[in-house]
Amino acid sequence: MKDDFVTVATSQFAEQAESIRLLLSQEGIESFIADANLVNTNWFLGPAVGYIKVQVLQSQSEAAMAILLQHPLATGTPSGESETAPAKCLACGAPMAEDAEVCPACGWSFNGEAEPEPQENVE
Ligand SMILES: [Zn+2]
């Protein structure tokens, strides 16, 4: 049966790619390192171009990914950092704390329907 190779990790550093390969090896998963020359054929990967890829058999990719997720330090992957954009004000673009509801810079609120300060009873 045909079994394709899939990339489970990328790294700019050969040493790191090697450590990932060793990690997978320790878990009983065979992997190999595809160097930057091969990456050129995958130009559509954009940011991954120039990176060293660690590939495993497709049938083992899920297990490999699970292992890598348990070892974020080995892969050097910042957990979720690049996936979720930092919260920022949609009105002025100022950075906002994730749990902040009101922009500290301009007072804009994620709750678009937030009521303005009641002015009627000021008298
Ligand atoms: Zn703002």
Side-chain angles (χ1 to χ4, degrees):
M1 119 184 197
K2 190 177 187 299
D3 209 351
D4 290 327
F5 284 98
V6 297
T7 301
V8 294
T10 59
S11 174
Q12 286 177 281
F13 310 105
E15 298 83 4
Q16 192 176 51
E18 180 65 14
S19 74
I20 293 169
R21 194 185 67 77
L22 285 174
L23 174 66
L24 293 174
S25 168
Q26 286 166 10
E27 302 287 343
I29 293 178
E30 264 194 78
S31 63
F32 80 94
I33 292 170
D35 65 24
N37 293 331
L38 293 177
V39 175
N40 290 335
T41 61
N42 292 327
W43 53 270
F44 54 86
L45 289 177
V49 169
Y51 281 56
I52 299 160
K53 299 194 292 184
V54 181
Q55 299 187 318
V56 302
L57 286 170
Q58 190 164 35
S59 58
Q60 294 183 310
S61 62
E62 274 186 38
M65 291 298 279
I67 292 166
L68 294 179
L69 282 175
Q70 289 166 19
H71 298 82
L73 291 180
T75 64
T77 304
S79 52
E81 238 177 69
S82 56
E83 293 168 14
T84 43
K88 61 181 182 180
C89 174
L90 296 182
C92 71
M96 293 173 65
E98 262 185 57
D99 55 350
E101 289 183 1
V102 178
C103 172
C106 72
W108 174 87
S109 170
F110 271 115
N111 300 322
E113 68 276 16
E115 295 172 26
E117 294 290 320
Q119 301 287 336
E120 297 168 13
N121 301 326
V122 166
E123 301 179 35

